[in-house]
Amino acid sequence: MNEEQRMAEVEKFKNYFSYISRPGADKLLAWLEEAGFFTAPASTKYHGAYAGGLVEHTNYVYRRLVQLADAEDKRQGRTYTEYTVDTIAVAALLHDVCKVDAYKVEKKNQKQKDGSWKEVEVYGYTNSLPLGHGEKSIIQIMRYMQLTEEEMLAIRWHMGAFDSAVKGGSYDMNNAFAGSRLAAMLHIADMMATHLDERTNAHE
């Protein structure tokens, strides 16, 4: 991703973020910018492993969640949407704020195709606030802005079966998905963004 592409993704994010109108949203956005959200990768190597990868991934999740929520409203035959544009934006745009300070550039010797070794810069993972993935996002958001209980559930469990608590045998994710379509849809939107959108539009 070049700088022009990254800035285009930042602009899209800020446009989507404008749907969040609750008190503290402006302070939260200022913190995201200051903390490096718009230059962070989405992961070390799995997806979006480049500067701007996190904001790009987030934008994909937002668009997927909008589509899923709209399709579900139609399936349910709703006259009015189940979730406000504010809630959709909050869940999608803020689910991964826990990653804002999680990746640092490191130098590493890497084997090349010709068999030689070369020192390259890669992202390494660090966690100065080990509270859990979704939990950390919620705590960081609520330093600036309030969340509804359903938004908390969605952000907390957006990792689905990949969440360490689920791997440890917790049934809380199942209960969250059973009680909240938003929680289930955010997880699906996250998976679609990661495994469909980002794979199709992978940057060199």
Side-chain angles (χ1 to χ4, degrees):
M1 171 180 284
N2 61 38
E3 184 62 11
E4 184 179 353
Q5 290 170 323
R6 187 185 71 80
M7 290 307 298
E9 292 298 331
V10 171
E11 188 65 25
K12 289 176 191 174
F13 178 95
K14 289 182 176 179
N15 287 337
Y16 302 149
F17 195 92
S18 68
Y19 290 119
I20 304 174
S21 57
R22 65 191 69 176
D26 56 339
K27 292 182 175 61
L28 175 57
L29 181 60
W31 172 75
L32 289 174
E33 190 141 24
E34 181 183 342
F37 182 88
F38 298 127
T39 55
S43 71
T44 56
K45 60 184 177 181
Y46 301 106
H47 69 109
Y50 41 80
L54 180 56
V55 66
E56 179 187 48
H57 165 73
T58 301
N59 289 339
Y60 281 132
V61 173
Y62 172 80
R63 292 191 290 270
R64 284 291 185 175
L65 186 57
V66 169
Q67 293 169 359
L68 289 168
D70 182 59
E72 182 61 11
D73 284 336
K74 289 176 180 174
R75 188 183 75 83
Q76 295 280 338
R78 295 180 181 278
T79 305
Y80 300 101
T81 59
E82 181 175 12
Y83 299 107
T84 64
V85 292
D86 179 75
T87 282
I88 294 293
V90 165
L93 298 179
L94 302 176
H95 74 283
D96 265 349
V97 299
C98 58
K99 293 181 176 181
V100 71
D101 59 352
Y103 303 109
K104 307 296 181 190
V105 175
E106 301 173 349
K107 292 187 183 295
K108 181 179 179 182
N109 285 322
Q110 194 173 78
K111 193 170 186 178
Q112 306 299 299
K113 290 180 180 178
D114 63 4
S116 64
W117 289 85
K118 181 181 178 182
E119 187 176 73
V120 296
E121 289 189 343
V122 297
Y123 283 105
Y125 178 76
T126 180
N127 192 354
S128 59
L129 195 62
L131 296 169
H133 187 83
E135 299 96 324
K136 182 179 175 183
S137 287
I138 291 168
I139 290 166
Q140 288 175 313
I141 295 163
M142 292 188 72
R143 286 174 173 170
Y144 301 93
M145 186 183 79
Q146 288 299 305
L147 296 171
T148 68
E149 287 188 6
E150 196 162 7
E151 289 163 359
M152 287 187 233
L153 285 174
I155 293 169
R156 167 63 186 91
W157 294 108
H158 76 267
M159 290 287 288
F162 296 100
D163 191 278
S164 57
V166 178
K167 291 179 180 180
S170 172
Y171 286 93
D172 285 341
M173 182 202 74
N174 292 337
N175 295 332
F177 285 1
S180 169
R181 275 186 283 271
L182 181 66
M185 289 190 296
L186 180 60
H187 171 58
I188 294 167
D190 194 19
M191 292 298 97
M192 294 177 82
T194 301
H195 298 291
L196 301 180
D197 299 327
E198 291 171 63
R199 182 174 296 175
T200 302
N201 298 291
H203 294 281
E204 295 297 331

